[in-house]
Amino acid sequence: MADKSAVGKTGKPFKMHVDWSKVREFARAIKDPNPLYFDPELAKKEMGGIPVPVTFLQTSAFWTDESSSPGFGGFDLRRILHGEQEFEFFKPIFVGDTLTGVSKVADVLEKEGGRGGKMTLLITETEYTNQKGEKVAIARSTLIETGQAVKA
């Protein structure tokens, strides 16, 4: 069972440089043919720069380490599921930006479940600011711990 005292706990800030090669690789991996990710002239004309795909911030996991995480609220890692992921954008993110992310535990909730018993939900938020100190996005993730092993 998760510890509600984890709410508000933060990890250490991490930095993430938005590199064009990674944006192109990501767009190809998710099969997004939008030419804005591949044609710098078009992107500059239409957007003012090469934007990132909506779910690109998920790759920030590769720029974090254990100290960047606010922790798992005491969850038993043998009984967890990824429940949900959402992104809220406040400003465009472009190739060449350097983002700083800070993750925190936003909430801990309990819900009745079915085959896995009572579920505990841990909601984390990662706030991203750009090199100008402007808030550009928040990523929210829900981790679910089942109360028992899921029955078949």
Side-chain angles (χ1 to χ4, degrees):
M1 181 162 297
D3 179 3
K4 289 191 178 265
S5 68
V7 175
K9 186 177 177 188
T10 63
K12 290 186 176 179
F14 63 93
K15 295 231 182 252
M16 170 184 174
H17 180 72
V18 180
D19 183 85
W20 185 31
S21 65
K22 298 302 178 192
V23 169
R24 286 181 297 185
E25 288 173 0
F26 188 84
R28 286 186 181 114
I30 62 171
K31 300 190 184 307
D32 188 336
N34 188 333
L36 294 175
Y37 306 131
F38 303 100
D39 184 341
E41 298 295 323
L42 177 65
K44 185 171 183 171
K45 180 180 172 187
E46 292 194 13
M47 300 285 297
I50 302 170
V52 299
V54 173
T55 55
F56 182 77
L57 288 177
Q58 189 61 32
T59 66
S60 70
F62 297 108
W63 279 268
T64 63
D65 61 22
E66 192 172 313
S67 69
S68 307
S69 171
F72 295 105
F75 273 28
D76 181 343
L77 300 181
R78 295 171 298 176
R79 294 182 286 130
I80 62 168
L81 306 165
H82 181 246
E84 183 176 275
Q85 186 77 41
E86 71 177 56
F87 301 93
E88 182 177 5
F89 291 91
F90 303 97
K91 290 189 172 278
I93 299 170
F94 295 112
V95 164
D97 283 348
T98 298
L99 305 179
T100 300
V102 178
S103 298
K104 71 175 184 181
V105 175
D107 206 355
V108 176
L109 311 164
E110 288 187 342
K111 287 187 173 184
E112 288 300 321
R115 298 178 302 151
K118 184 176 276 187
M119 301 181 298
T120 306
L121 288 69
L122 179 81
I123 296 132
T124 58
E125 291 182 349
T126 302
E127 182 175 302
Y128 294 91
T129 55
N130 63 18
Q131 65 279 4
K132 298 174 188 169
E134 301 168 322
K135 181 166 75 172
V136 293
I138 293 177
R140 290 181 188 87
S141 177
T142 301
L143 198 62
I144 301 169
E145 178 190 48
T146 59
Q148 61 190 24
V150 177
K151 297 175 182 170

Coordinates of all heavy atoms in Angstrom, one line a residue, residues 13-63:
P13 N 16.1 18.0 -10.2 CA 15.9 18.5 -11.6 C 16.9 17.7 -12.5 O 18.0 17.4 -12.2 CB 16.3 20.0 -11.6 CG 16.1 20.4 -10.2 CD 16.5 19.1 -9.3
F14 N 16.4 17.5 -13.8 CA 17.3 16.9 -14.8 C 17.1 17.7 -16.1 O 16.2 18.4 -16.3 CB 16.8 15.4 -15.1 CG 15.5 15.3 -15.6 CD1 15.2 15.2 -17.0 CD2 14.4 15.1 -14.8 CE1 13.9 15.1 -17.5 CE2 13.1 15.0 -15.3 CZ 12.9 15.0 -16.6
K15 N 18.2 17.6 -16.9 CA 18.2 18.4 -18.1 C 18.1 17.5 -19.3 O 18.5 16.3 -19.3 CB 19.5 19.2 -18.3 CG 19.7 20.3 -17.2 CD 20.0 21.6 -17.8 CE 20.2 22.6 -16.7 NZ 19.1 23.6 -16.7
M16 N 17.4 18.0 -20.4 CA 17.2 17.2 -21.6 C 17.3 18.2 -22.8 O 16.6 19.1 -22.9 CB 15.8 16.7 -21.5 CG 15.3 16.0 -22.8 SD 13.5 15.5 -22.6 CE 13.2 15.0 -24.2
H17 N 18.4 17.9 -23.6 CA 18.5 18.7 -24.8 C 17.7 18.1 -25.9 O 17.7 16.9 -26.1 CB 20.0 18.8 -25.2 CG 20.2 19.6 -26.5 ND1 20.1 21.0 -26.5 CD2 20.5 19.2 -27.7 CE1 20.3 21.4 -27.7 NE2 20.6 20.4 -28.5
V18 N 16.9 18.9 -26.6 CA 16.1 18.4 -27.7 C 16.9 18.4 -29.0 O 17.1 19.5 -29.6 CB 14.8 19.2 -27.8 CG1 13.9 18.7 -29.0 CG2 14.0 19.3 -26.5
D19 N 17.3 17.2 -29.4 CA 18.1 17.1 -30.6 C 17.3 16.6 -31.8 O 16.4 15.8 -31.7 CB 19.2 16.0 -30.2 CG 20.2 15.8 -31.3 OD1 21.1 16.5 -31.4 OD2 19.9 14.8 -32.1
W20 N 17.6 17.2 -32.9 CA 16.8 16.9 -34.1 C 16.9 15.4 -34.5 O 15.9 14.8 -34.9 CB 17.3 17.8 -35.3 CG 16.4 17.6 -36.6 CD1 15.1 17.3 -36.6 CD2 16.9 17.8 -37.9 NE1 14.7 17.3 -37.9 CE2 15.8 17.6 -38.7 CE3 18.1 18.1 -38.5 CZ2 15.9 17.6 -40.1 CZ3 18.2 18.2 -39.8 CH2 17.1 17.9 -40.7
S21 N 18.1 14.8 -34.4 CA 18.2 13.4 -34.7 C 17.2 12.6 -33.9 O 16.6 11.6 -34.4 CB 19.6 12.9 -34.6 OG 20.1 12.9 -33.3
K22 N 17.1 12.9 -32.6 CA 16.2 12.1 -31.8 C 14.7 12.4 -32.1 O 13.9 11.5 -32.0 CB 16.5 12.5 -30.3 CG 17.8 12.1 -29.8 CD 18.1 10.6 -30.0 CE 19.5 10.3 -29.6 NZ 19.9 8.9 -30.1
V23 N 14.4 13.6 -32.5 CA 13.0 13.9 -32.9 C 12.7 13.1 -34.2 O 11.6 12.5 -34.3 CB 12.8 15.4 -33.1 CG1 11.5 15.7 -33.8 CG2 12.9 16.2 -31.8
R24 N 13.6 13.1 -35.1 CA 13.4 12.3 -36.4 C 13.2 10.8 -36.1 O 12.3 10.2 -36.6 CB 14.5 12.5 -37.4 CG 14.5 13.9 -38.0 CD 15.6 14.0 -39.0 NE 16.8 13.9 -38.3 CZ 18.0 14.1 -38.8 NH1 18.2 14.3 -40.1 NH2 19.1 14.0 -38.0
E25 N 14.1 10.3 -35.2 CA 14.0 8.9 -34.9 C 12.7 8.6 -34.2 O 12.1 7.6 -34.5 CB 15.2 8.5 -33.9 CG 16.5 8.4 -34.6 CD 17.6 8.2 -33.6 OE1 17.4 8.1 -32.3 OE2 18.8 8.2 -34.0
F26 N 12.3 9.5 -33.3 CA 11.0 9.2 -32.6 C 9.8 9.3 -33.5 O 9.0 8.4 -33.5 CB 10.9 10.3 -31.5 CG 9.7 10.0 -30.6 CD1 9.8 9.1 -29.5 CD2 8.5 10.6 -30.8 CE1 8.8 8.9 -28.6 CE2 7.4 10.4 -29.9 CZ 7.6 9.5 -28.9
A27 N 9.8 10.3 -34.4 CA 8.7 10.4 -35.4 C 8.7 9.1 -36.3 O 7.6 8.6 -36.6 CB 8.9 11.6 -36.2
R28 N 9.8 8.6 -36.7 CA 9.8 7.4 -37.5 C 9.3 6.2 -36.7 O 8.6 5.4 -37.2 CB 11.2 7.1 -38.0 CG 11.6 8.1 -39.2 CD 12.9 7.7 -39.8 NE 13.3 8.6 -40.9 CZ 14.3 9.5 -40.8 NH1 15.1 9.5 -39.8 NH2 14.5 10.3 -41.8
A29 N 9.8 6.2 -35.4 CA 9.4 5.0 -34.6 C 7.9 5.0 -34.3 O 7.3 3.9 -34.3 CB 10.1 5.1 -33.2
I30 N 7.2 6.1 -34.2 CA 5.8 6.1 -34.0 C 5.0 6.3 -35.3 O 3.8 6.4 -35.4 CB 5.3 7.3 -33.1 CG1 5.7 8.6 -33.6 CG2 5.9 7.0 -31.7 CD1 5.1 9.8 -32.8
K31 N 5.8 6.2 -36.4 CA 5.2 6.2 -37.8 C 4.4 7.5 -38.1 O 3.3 7.4 -38.6 CB 4.4 5.0 -38.1 CG 5.2 3.7 -38.0 CD 4.5 2.5 -38.5 CE 5.2 1.2 -38.3 NZ 6.5 1.1 -38.7
D32 N 5.0 8.6 -37.6 CA 4.3 9.9 -37.9 C 5.0 10.6 -39.0 O 6.2 11.0 -38.9 CB 4.4 10.8 -36.6 CG 3.6 12.1 -36.8 OD1 3.4 12.5 -37.9 OD2 3.3 12.6 -35.7
P33 N 4.4 10.6 -40.2 CA 5.0 11.2 -41.4 C 5.0 12.7 -41.5 O 5.4 13.2 -42.5 CB 4.2 10.5 -42.5 CG 2.8 10.5 -42.0 CD 3.0 10.2 -40.5
N34 N 4.6 13.4 -40.5 CA 4.5 14.9 -40.5 C 5.8 15.5 -41.0 O 6.8 15.3 -40.4 CB 4.1 15.4 -39.2 CG 3.8 16.9 -39.2 OD1 4.2 17.6 -40.0 ND2 2.9 17.3 -38.2
P35 N 5.8 16.2 -42.2 CA 7.0 16.7 -42.7 C 7.7 17.8 -41.8 O 8.8 18.1 -42.0 CB 6.6 17.3 -44.1 CG 5.1 17.5 -43.9 CD 4.6 16.5 -43.0
L36 N 6.9 18.3 -40.8 CA 7.5 19.3 -39.9 C 8.7 18.7 -39.1 O 9.6 19.4 -38.7 CB 6.5 19.9 -39.0 CG 5.4 20.7 -39.6 CD1 4.3 21.1 -38.6 CD2 5.9 21.9 -40.3
Y37 N 8.7 17.4 -38.9 CA 9.8 16.8 -38.2 C 11.0 16.5 -39.0 O 12.1 16.2 -38.5 CB 9.3 15.5 -37.5 CG 8.0 15.6 -36.7 CD1 7.0 14.7 -36.9 CD2 7.9 16.6 -35.7 CE1 5.8 14.9 -36.1 CE2 6.8 16.7 -35.0 CZ 5.7 15.9 -35.2 OH 4.6 16.0 -34.4
F38 N 10.8 16.5 -40.3 CA 11.9 16.1 -41.3 C 12.4 17.2 -42.2 O 13.4 17.1 -42.8 CB 11.4 14.9 -42.1 CG 10.9 13.8 -41.3 CD1 9.5 13.6 -41.1 CD2 11.8 12.9 -40.7 CE1 9.0 12.5 -40.3 CE2 11.3 11.8 -40.0 CZ 9.9 11.7 -39.8
D39 N 11.7 18.3 -42.3 CA 12.0 19.4 -43.2 C 12.2 20.7 -42.4 O 11.2 21.4 -42.1 CB 10.9 19.6 -44.3 CG 11.3 20.6 -45.3 OD1 12.2 21.4 -45.1 OD2 10.6 20.6 -46.4
P40 N 13.5 21.1 -42.1 CA 13.7 22.2 -41.3 C 13.2 23.5 -41.9 O 12.7 24.4 -41.2 CB 15.2 22.3 -41.2 CG 15.7 21.0 -41.5 CD 14.7 20.4 -42.4
E41 N 13.3 23.7 -43.2 CA 12.8 24.9 -43.9 C 11.3 25.0 -43.7 O 10.8 26.1 -43.4 CB 13.2 24.9 -45.4 CG 14.6 24.8 -45.7 CD 15.4 26.1 -45.2 OE1 14.8 27.2 -45.3 OE2 16.5 26.0 -44.7
L42 N 10.6 23.9 -44.0 CA 9.1 24.0 -43.8 C 8.7 24.2 -42.4 O 7.8 25.0 -42.1 CB 8.5 22.6 -44.3 CG 7.0 22.5 -44.1 CD1 6.2 23.5 -45.0 CD2 6.6 21.0 -44.4
A43 N 9.4 23.6 -41.4 CA 9.1 23.7 -40.0 C 9.4 25.2 -39.6 O 8.6 25.8 -38.8 CB 10.0 22.8 -39.2
K44 N 10.4 25.8 -40.1 CA 10.7 27.2 -39.7 C 9.7 28.1 -40.2 O 9.2 29.0 -39.6 CB 12.1 27.6 -40.2 CG 12.5 28.9 -39.8 CD 14.0 29.3 -40.1 CE 14.3 30.6 -39.5 NZ 15.7 30.9 -39.6
K45 N 9.3 27.9 -41.5 CA 8.2 28.7 -42.2 C 6.9 28.6 -41.4 O 6.2 29.6 -41.2 CB 8.1 28.3 -43.6 CG 7.1 29.1 -44.4 CD 7.0 28.6 -45.8 CE 5.9 29.2 -46.6 NZ 5.7 28.6 -47.9
E46 N 6.5 27.4 -41.1 CA 5.2 27.2 -40.5 C 5.1 27.3 -39.0 O 4.0 27.6 -38.5 CB 4.6 25.8 -41.0 CG 4.3 25.8 -42.5 CD 3.5 24.6 -42.9 OE1 2.9 23.9 -42.0 OE2 3.4 24.4 -44.1
M47 N 6.2 26.9 -38.3 CA 6.1 26.8 -36.9 C 7.1 27.7 -36.1 O 7.1 27.9 -34.9 CB 6.3 25.4 -36.4 CG 5.3 24.4 -36.9 SD 3.7 24.5 -36.1 CE 4.1 24.1 -34.4
G48 N 8.1 28.2 -36.9 CA 9.2 29.0 -36.3 C 10.3 28.1 -35.8 O 11.3 28.6 -35.2
G49 N 10.2 26.8 -36.1 CA 11.2 25.8 -35.7 C 10.7 24.4 -35.8 O 9.5 24.2 -36.1
I50 N 11.6 23.5 -35.6 CA 11.1 22.0 -35.7 C 10.5 21.7 -34.4 O 11.1 21.6 -33.3 CB 12.3 21.1 -36.0 CG1 13.0 21.5 -37.3 CG2 11.9 19.7 -36.1 CD1 14.3 20.8 -37.6
P51 N 9.2 21.4 -34.4 CA 8.5 21.0 -33.1 C 8.8 19.5 -32.8 O 9.4 18.8 -33.6 CB 7.0 21.2 -33.5 CG 7.0 20.8 -35.0 CD 8.3 21.3 -35.5
V52 N 8.4 19.2 -31.6 CA 8.5 17.8 -31.2 C 7.1 17.1 -31.3 O 6.1 17.7 -31.1 CB 9.1 17.6 -29.7 CG1 10.4 18.3 -29.6 CG2 8.1 18.2 -28.7
P53 N 7.1 15.8 -31.6 CA 5.9 15.1 -31.5 C 5.3 15.1 -30.1 O 6.0 15.2 -29.1 CB 6.3 13.6 -31.9 CG 7.5 13.8 -32.7 CD 8.2 14.9 -32.0
V54 N 4.0 15.0 -30.0 CA 3.2 15.2 -28.7 C 3.8 14.3 -27.6 O 4.0 14.8 -26.5 CB 1.7 15.0 -28.9 CG1 1.0 15.0 -27.6 CG2 1.2 16.0 -29.9
T55 N 4.1 13.1 -27.9 CA 4.5 12.2 -26.9 C 6.0 12.1 -26.7 O 6.5 11.3 -26.0 CB 3.9 10.8 -27.1 OG1 4.3 10.3 -28.4 CG2 2.4 10.8 -27.0
F56 N 6.7 13.0 -27.4 CA 8.2 13.0 -27.4 C 8.8 13.1 -25.9 O 9.8 12.5 -25.6 CB 8.8 14.1 -28.3 CG 10.3 14.1 -28.3 CD1 11.0 13.2 -29.1 CD2 11.0 15.0 -27.6 CE1 12.4 13.2 -29.1 CE2 12.4 15.0 -27.6 CZ 13.1 14.1 -28.4
L57 N 8.1 13.8 -25.1 CA 8.6 14.0 -23.7 C 8.7 12.7 -23.0 O 9.5 12.7 -22.0 CB 7.7 15.0 -22.9 CG 7.7 16.5 -23.4 CD1 6.7 17.3 -22.6 CD2 9.2 17.0 -23.2
Q58 N 8.1 11.7 -23.4 CA 8.2 10.4 -22.8 C 9.7 9.9 -22.8 O 10.1 9.2 -22.0 CB 7.3 9.3 -23.4 CG 7.2 8.0 -22.6 CD 6.7 8.2 -21.2 OE1 5.9 9.1 -20.9 NE2 7.2 7.4 -20.3
T59 N 10.4 10.4 -23.8 CA 11.8 10.0 -24.0 C 12.7 10.6 -22.9 O 13.9 10.2 -22.7 CB 12.4 10.4 -25.3 OG1 12.4 11.8 -25.4 CG2 11.6 9.8 -26.5
S60 N 12.1 11.6 -22.1 CA 13.0 12.2 -21.0 C 13.4 11.1 -20.0 O 14.4 11.4 -19.3 CB 12.2 13.3 -20.4 OG 11.1 12.8 -19.6
A61 N 12.8 10.0 -20.0 CA 13.2 8.9 -19.1 C 14.6 8.5 -19.3 O 15.3 8.1 -18.4 CB 12.3 7.7 -19.2
F62 N 15.1 8.8 -20.5 CA 16.5 8.4 -20.8 C 17.5 9.5 -20.3 O 18.7 9.3 -20.4 CB 16.7 8.2 -22.3 CG 15.9 7.1 -22.9 CD1 14.8 7.3 -23.6 CD2 16.2 5.8 -22.5 CE1 14.0 6.3 -24.1 CE2 15.4 4.7 -23.0 CZ 14.3 5.0 -23.8
W63 N 17.0 10.6 -19.8 CA 17.9 11.7 -19.3 C 17.8 11.7 -17.8 O 18.4 12.6 -17.1 CB 17.5 13.0 -19.8 CG 18.0 13.3 -21.2 CD1 19.2 13.9 -21.5 CD2 17.5 12.9 -22.5 NE1 19.4 13.9 -22.8 CE2 18.3 13.4 -23.5 CE3 16.3 12.3 -22.8 CZ2 18.1 13.2 -24.8 CZ3 16.0 12.1 -24.2 CH2 16.9 12.6 -25.1

